[in-house]
Amino acid sequence: MTSHYFRPKELSEALDLLAAAPLCVAAGCTDLFPATERKSLQGDVLDITGIAQLRGFSHDAGGDLRIGATTTWADIIRSPLPPAFDGLKRAAREVGARQIQNQGTLAGNLCNASPAADGVPPLLTLDAQVEVQSAGGTRQIALSDFIQGPRKTALGAGEMVTTVIVPPAGQSGIGHFRKLGARDYLVISIAMTAARMVVTDGIVQDIALAIGSCGPTAVRLRAIEADMTGRPLDPSLITDEAVAKAIAPIDDMRADAGYRRISAAELLRRTVADLSASQVVAA
Ligand SMILES: Cc1cc2nc3c(=O)[nH]c(=O)nc-3n(C[C@H](O)[C@H](O)[C@H](O)COP(=O)(O)OP(=O)(O)OC[C@H]3O[C@@H](n4cnc5c(N)ncnc54)[C@H](O)[C@@H]3O)c2cc1C
């Protein structure tokens, strides 16, 4: 049984409640409910979905794009975002079915810290930061440092995620995402890949590549990115060997590690090849 259920309308009230006692933060509950395996959440719950300021998109004076913590996958799909966010949008369209997309939030996906969280690879390619607040203050953490392992984040006592931030550099270029599962829809990823790139006159000016579901956390592929920058766009530079060095897949019920290594490299090549065929990269 839930002991106390709080649904504040103001962020300051939520932070005061979190400072006063340990509470389970609840957003869309699409991860929380399956985890309980019961009909109600256990313990004291802080439902953050009534805080209007936490939902939606805004730009700050420095050009950062700010995505509020209760912004849902459906919000992301419907919003006019720059082409760099095309990978995130594509991931959003493939998270569960419509019901999950209407209910589940981007920040919930990050805080749940599943190695198979589809939002993480595209956000890594956008150089996303996570803004965390408590009654005592605010801090920003690179997404790559925020997720520390399966079900483990950098959140401290009394803290919650309030915003996902994409800096101006991460907003340039065009993005893409591909997911491999045992079937096309409603599936947990065996591997997923994301790419964002800026290509001018056929030459790669900037490229960000990420792989998820192939290790305890999703990772950027910095060595391959460095190899591809300043050269004509060529997906064959993404070799099986270079990908295998960057990831640490395990055997599980969905696939074995060897299959994951090979399929992740191929999926990443296809992700980049899709982008190289697109009009925006060719322009
Ligand atoms: C049928 C089904 C299909 C699914 N398919 C996919 C899929 O294809 N891909 C995928 O990646 N995921 C999938 N999921 C998982 C889930 O829908 C997503 O991870 C979703 O984004 C979670 O968001 P939420 O708002 O529901 O999080 P919640 O369930 O509300 O919370 C998840 C965790 O994050 C914490 N939390 C939430 N918000 C905050 C915050 N602002 N600050 C601090 N802590 C917070 C909660 O305490 C909890 O620990 C699926 C789930 C279901 C039930």
Side-chain angles (χ1 to χ4, degrees):
M1 284 284 291
T2 298
S3 308
H4 292 99
Y5 173 78
F6 302 101
R7 191 169 187 268
K9 288 198 161 42
E10 300 297 332
L11 177 59
S12 56
E13 194 188 338
L15 297 177
D16 288 344
L17 286 163
L18 274 176
L23 298 171
C24 173
V25 176
C29 289
T30 61
D31 276 316
L32 272 179
F33 263 113
T36 63
E37 297 181 344
R38 295 172 197 227
K39 286 190 177 168
S40 63
L41 297 178
Q42 305 298 294
D44 297 336
V45 172
L46 175 66
D47 177 347
I48 58 171
T49 59
I51 307 170
Q53 78 183 85
L54 287 184
R55 187 159 181 180
F57 305 84
S58 62
H59 273 101
D60 72 9
D64 287 346
L65 181 73
R66 298 174 62 84
I67 308 175
T70 60
T71 304
T72 64
W73 295 110
D75 294 337
I76 291 167
I77 294 165
R78 287 190 208 112
S79 297
L81 296 166
F85 289 75
D86 286 0
L88 183 64
K89 278 182 173 257
R90 192 166 161 138
R93 281 189 211 99
E94 296 189 26
V95 170
R98 291 262 169 92
Q99 293 90 335
I100 298 294
Q101 293 161 14
N102 285 335
Q103 194 71 18
T105 63
L106 182 62
N109 192 245
L110 306 184
C111 294
N112 192 54
S114 161
D118 285 324
V120 180
L123 282 173
L124 285 176
T125 67
L126 296 170
D127 295 326
Q129 303 267 321
V130 179
E131 189 164 277
V132 165
Q133 286 194 45
S134 68
T138 302
R139 59 191 182 115
Q140 288 182 6
I141 309 165
L143 175 58
S144 51
D145 296 328
F146 177 75
I147 299 179
Q148 299 182 334
R151 316 284 173 203
K152 193 169 175 346
T153 69
L155 276 174
E159 287 186 324
M160 61 177 274
V161 170
T162 50
T163 316
V164 176
I165 298 172
V166 178
Q171 297 170 39
S172 60
I174 180 167
H176 193 33
F177 171 85
R178 267 180 172 257
K179 167 171 170 173
L180 175 71
R183 55 178 189 265
D184 272 354
Y185 294 101
L186 264 175
V187 73
I188 298 177
S189 301
I190 290 171
M192 70 283 216
T193 55
R196 180 185 59 82
M197 61 178 77
V198 179
V199 179
T200 309
D201 297 329
I203 302 297
V204 176
Q205 309 296 328
D206 184 22
I207 186 161
L209 304 170
I211 291 179
S213 245
C214 287
T217 60
V219 290
R220 280 279 293 268
L221 292 102
R222 303 272 181 194
I224 302 176
E225 292 171 9
D227 205 28
M228 294 180 79
T229 304
R231 299 166 72 166
L233 182 58
D234 179 3
S236 72
L237 292 171
I238 301 167
T239 63
D240 290 356
E241 296 72 29
V243 170
K245 273 189 202 159
I247 60 178
I250 56 164
D251 299 338
D252 67 13
M253 65 201 291
R254 287 185 287 282
D256 63 35
Y259 179 74
R260 280 197 159 94
R261 261 189 291 276
I262 291 169
S263 56
E266 180 57 26
L267 201 64
L268 189 59
R269 281 190 287 272
R270 291 184 191 186
T271 307
V272 170
D274 287 349
L275 278 178
S276 72
S278 78
Q279 293 298 318
V280 177
V281 170

